[in-house]
């Protein structure tokens, strides 16, 4: 039976931590999460990892595999070079709890700071609304998000520049876009985007889009249209002049 080496990060928040190598048997159809579970069962019962669905839908098993943010349960071993050790480490944009588990609670705090869905008054006397299918389809893409936070992990504004207090990150720009572009929503989040939520920090590197397991076009369909709205509102001289007169 074939074997492969997994170089897994071991450590706690309060200790330095290091990689440890584990050899384990690999069979057809295995994913990285299977290998981690096998290592837990046979060699390292105290190895911490977070997972839930093993189907790419809960967003819990996010990690960095060979240096790239990915879901452990959706990374098949036959897509990796098993001649070399496969490195598995925790997301680096969030504080470590233990081994592969990070504290992602900052994201939940950020979400609470975004203005909620605010429906406009109903269109018909029976309390119902009308909207076009095209408008509904537009936001549907953003609703595929599984909150794995891989896009947050790869974004240099959070990861390298640690702007967690000033920038909400690609996941929550996508969430804001889903609200702002919702055909029934009457809320206004453009001022927040410009100031508290730091949309100006994003320089459209598209790294977030590249790692999204749901293939959401984060930059093209969410961030760029939001940036355009912010620019139109706050920086376009003609619009500003018109608003002044209005
Ligand atoms: S496109 Fe913007 S949000 Fe996405 S990774 Fe780059 S800087 Fe971050
Ligand atoms: S937008 Fe994509 S990468 Fe970001 S949290 Fe949602 S599913 Fe994960
Ligand atoms: S275990 Fe649910 S996404 Fe991987």
């Amino acid at each position: 039976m074939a074997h492969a080496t997994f170089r897994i990060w071991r450590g706690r928040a309060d200790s330095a931590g290091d990689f440890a190598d584990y050899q384990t048997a690999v069979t057809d159809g295995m994913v990285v999460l299977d290998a981690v579970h096998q290592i837990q069962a046979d060699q390292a019962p105290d190895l911490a990892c977070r997972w839930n669905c093993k189907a790419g839908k809960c967003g819990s098993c996010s990690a960095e595999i060979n240096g790239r943010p990915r879901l452990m349960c959706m990374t098949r071993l036959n897509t990796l070079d098993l001649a070399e050790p496969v490195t598995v480490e925790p997301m680096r944009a969030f504080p470590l709890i233990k081994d592969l588990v990070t504290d992602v609670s900052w994201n939940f705090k950020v979400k609470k700071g975004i203005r909620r869905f605010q429906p406009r008054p109903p269109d018909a006397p029976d309390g119902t609304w009308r909207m076009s299918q095209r408008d509904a389809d537009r936001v549907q893409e953003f609703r595929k998000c599984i909150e794995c936070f891989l896009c947050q992990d790869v974004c240099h504004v959070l990861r390298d520049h640690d702007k967690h207090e000033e920038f909400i990150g690609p996941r929550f720009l996508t969430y804001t876009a889903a609200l702002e572009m919702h055909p029934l929503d009457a809320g206004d989040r453009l001022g927040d985007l410009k100031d508290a939520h730091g949309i100006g920090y994003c320089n459209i590197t598209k790294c977030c889009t590249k790692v999204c397991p749901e293939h959401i076009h984060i930059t093209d369909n969410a961030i760029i249209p939001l940036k355009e709205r912010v620019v139109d509102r706050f920086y376009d001289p003609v619009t500003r002049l018109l608003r002044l007169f209005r």
Side-chain angles (χ1 to χ4, degrees):
M1 186 178 288
H3 281 69
T5 302
F6 290 82
R7 187 160 286 167
I8 301 178
W9 183 262
R10 303 298 314 267
R12 291 177 180 274
D14 54 4
S15 62
D18 204 354
F19 285 102
D21 282 1
Y22 302 93
Q23 281 237 327
T24 196
V26 296
T27 50
D28 284 350
M30 273 177 75
V31 293
V32 169
L33 187 60
D34 291 322
V36 168
H37 282 162
Q38 221 164 253
I39 290 162
Q40 266 182 333
D42 300 341
Q43 306 172 51
D46 61 339
L47 170 61
C49 80
R50 186 188 280 133
W51 70 285
N52 209 312
C53 69
K54 204 169 175 270
K57 286 295 159 215
C58 72
S60 311
C61 67
S62 303
E64 297 186 11
I65 299 166
N66 286 345
R68 187 183 160 87
R70 302 181 75 165
L71 296 177
M72 287 193 282
C73 74
M74 297 303 284
T75 306
R76 298 182 85 91
L77 296 187
N78 64 6
T79 64
L80 303 172
D81 176 10
L82 300 182
E84 297 290 326
V86 175
T87 61
V88 189
E89 50 191 315
M91 289 192 286
R92 295 296 184 187
F94 305 112
L96 182 70
I97 296 176
K98 184 177 186 300
D99 303 332
L100 300 177
V101 179
T102 50
D103 177 0
V104 293
S105 58
W106 169 80
N107 293 282
F108 307 129
K109 201 179 86 194
V110 168
K111 195 173 196 177
K112 283 189 185 154
I114 296 170
R115 287 172 205 268
R116 303 287 115 196
F117 177 62
Q118 207 180 303
R120 61 179 156 81
D123 298 326
D126 65 356
T128 57
W129 288 269
R130 304 289 176 269
M131 54 181 161
S132 75
Q133 188 60 47
R134 204 169 68 166
D135 287 345
D137 289 346
R138 191 175 185 203
V139 291
Q140 202 57 31
E141 176 188 14
F142 307 138
R143 298 178 66 90
K144 290 192 300 179
C145 175
I146 58 171
E147 297 210 318
C148 63
F149 305 129
L150 291 173
C151 56
Q152 305 284 75
D153 183 46
V154 82
C155 177
H156 67 100
V157 182
L158 300 171
R159 186 188 180 97
D160 301 327
H161 302 290
D162 210 18
K163 295 284 184 194
H164 294 69
E165 293 304 317
E166 295 156 69
F167 180 59
I168 59 176
R171 158 54 191 143
F172 295 108
L173 292 173
T174 306
Y175 179 71
T176 305
L179 292 165
E180 280 292 301
M181 296 178 198
H182 195 291
L184 303 190
D185 180 73
D188 184 349
R189 300 164 192 85
L190 297 188
D192 289 347
L193 280 171
K194 177 171 90 62
D195 300 323
H197 297 167
I199 193 168
Y201 280 113
C202 166
N203 56 352
I204 327 254
T205 56
K206 298 198 180 192
C207 313
C208 49
T209 302
K210 284 184 197 137
V211 300
C212 177
E214 286 296 319
H215 308 293
I216 300 170
H217 295 92
I218 302 172
T219 30
D220 287 353
N221 292 352
I223 299 178
I224 292 175
L226 289 181
K227 276 179 171 282
E228 284 170 351
R229 289 177 186 209
V230 169
V231 168
D232 283 352
R233 164 82 65 86
F234 297 103
Y235 302 107
D236 179 46
V238 179
T239 321
R240 287 181 74 180
L241 204 63
L242 285 175
R243 218 177 33 251
L244 207 66
F245 283 117
R246 272 205 300 272

